[in-house]
Amino acid sequence: MRLGVLDVGSNTVHLLVVDAHPGARPLPAHSHKAELRLAQLLDERGAIGPDGVDRLIAVIRDGLEAAEDKGVEDIVPFATSAVREATNADDVLARVKDDTGVELRVLTGEEEARLTFLAARRWFGWSAGKLLVLDIGGGSLEIAYGIDEEPDAAVSLPLGAGRLTAAWLPGDPADPADIKALRRHVRAQIARTVGEFSRFGSPDHVVATSKTFKQLARLAGAARSTEGLYIQRELKRKSLEDWVPRLAAMTEAERAELPGVSEGRAGQLLAGALVAEGAMDLFGVETLEVCPWALREGVILRHLDHMPTG
């Protein structure tokens, strides 16, 4: 069957269309996305304003049209931290349902971490052993650890690259004092969680998902996305530590000229790099492997798991 997953994230609204059925690997057929940056549309009360809701509804309608054009039989819609943390989330969800017919399921941060972990586990397989999975989104950082498909520990921290950029790094280029303050904040937040994971022992593989890690790995020399999903891509902490001061000295426009960095993500790449560097340092990670699958694939896999096979 042709299945669509509609992801209302902090940065983008992304429709991923796959050909899938229970027990089989989902094959991507189409991708439709729009940059909305919901996390940056919150007003001083933490609410998504009328203009933001109107734009969200318009983008969802575009996604539904794309899904229909591509012959999608079933759509799984969900939202993450930007909607979850909006003070008017219930009103936004009701308006979306009234105007589009889409009933968004709002994932908790822990659910995000668990579903992302599921995607990584299915991608790497049982032979990968114990996995530590890191995912940097626009609004939050997810961390999960385990040996099975359900992680033994899963947490979500408010350390998304978009959120941190808007709150901590107003300058272009960023002010060194602001960068230092953000670095201190990021590491204090991550350090509080390290003990929860270290009691399980060292992981056999450390895995990273998300656009931020893919871009950082590309900067450090990993293969281009055009070379395919199945080429192993890694990010070494030493390479990342070399890149952080270079990114800090650049303007947003200069970062957008770097290989693998999209114009829409260039502004938040420094904050994402500080989170990635802090996580790798505090968890004692020298090298991590980049996983092509992430939250959207985890949602698809869980949906397929609950479909009848007969």
Side-chain angles (χ1 to χ4, degrees):
M1 69 176 296
R2 182 151 281 194
L3 177 69
V5 58
L6 184 66
D7 172 5
V8 178
S10 297
N11 284 317
T12 61
V13 176
H14 189 164
L15 171 75
L16 176 64
V17 177
V18 298
D19 291 319
H21 61 268
R25 174 177 55 120
L27 299 174
H30 180 69
S31 177
H32 175 90
K33 66 176 71 174
E35 286 198 6
L36 191 58
R37 301 191 182 186
L38 272 180
Q40 298 179 30
L41 296 178
L42 301 179
D43 62 22
E44 64 279 358
R45 298 176 294 110
I48 301 174
D51 179 60
V53 178
D54 288 342
R55 289 166 61 187
L56 172 60
I57 288 170
V59 168
I60 289 176
R61 283 177 173 154
D62 288 343
L64 294 177
E65 289 182 10
E68 182 178 336
D69 289 344
K70 297 301 177 182
V72 169
E73 300 175 52
D74 189 16
I75 293 181
V76 183
F78 69 92
T80 56
S81 62
V83 174
R84 180 171 67 236
E85 297 172 10
T87 55
N88 62 335
D90 290 342
D91 293 337
V92 172
L93 295 172
R95 173 84 187 283
V96 168
K97 183 177 180 181
D98 289 343
D99 287 19
T100 69
V102 171
E103 188 168 357
L104 287 173
R105 176 192 172 196
V106 180
L107 300 179
T108 67
E110 183 177 324
E111 284 177 319
E112 283 191 57
R114 290 182 174 277
L115 288 166
T116 302
F117 183 89
L118 171 65
R121 168 57 69 199
R122 294 278 179 94
W123 181 267
F124 284 99
W126 296 111
S127 63
K130 294 178 288 186
L131 298 181
L132 174 65
V133 178
L134 306 171
D135 180 284
I136 302 171
S140 57
L141 162 70
E142 274 69 51
I143 308 170
Y145 177 102
I147 196 169
D148 297 318
E149 291 199 340
E150 282 292 330
D152 296 308
V155 300
S156 178
L157 302 175
L159 297 177
R163 176 204 297 267
L164 295 179
T165 301
W168 293 81
L169 301 177
D172 186 26
D175 186 281
D178 292 337
I179 296 172
K180 185 176 182 180
L182 175 56
R183 183 180 187 274
R184 185 166 55 246
H185 170 74
V186 164
R187 287 172 176 254
Q189 291 278 316
I190 295 173
R192 295 172 187 169
T193 72
V194 172
E196 182 176 346
F197 291 88
S198 61
R199 63 191 177 93
F200 294 107
S202 299
D204 297 305
H205 293 270
V206 181
V207 176
T209 71
S210 74
K211 190 72 170 179
T212 294
F213 274 115
K214 290 176 182 177
Q215 291 184 337
L216 292 172
R218 178 73 186 91
L219 289 180
R224 297 178 176 89
S225 60
T226 54
E227 296 182 41
L229 293 177
Y230 302 103
I231 295 177
Q232 182 171 330
R233 295 172 172 87
E234 295 181 341
L235 175 62
K236 296 185 181 298
R237 175 154 50 110
K238 179 63 172 64
S239 296
L240 180 57
E241 289 173 344
D242 290 342
W243 265 103
V244 168
R246 295 170 65 182
L247 293 172
M250 293 180 180
T251 64
E252 180 176 343
E254 288 170 335
R255 290 187 212 121
E257 297 296 321
L258 295 171
V261 178
S262 63
E263 183 177 350
R265 303 273 183 153
Q268 61 188 47
L269 186 59
L270 173 58
L274 290 170
V275 174
E277 181 191 38
M280 292 182 75
D281 187 8
L282 290 166
F283 280 97
V285 177
E286 296 299 328
T287 303
L288 54 76
E289 302 167 64
V290 177
C291 178
W293 282 2
L295 176 60
R296 281 183 291 275
E297 287 78 11
V299 170
I300 291 168
L301 293 166
R302 180 62 76 224
H303 182 77
L304 292 172
D305 286 347
H306 288 91
M307 289 180 61
T309 57

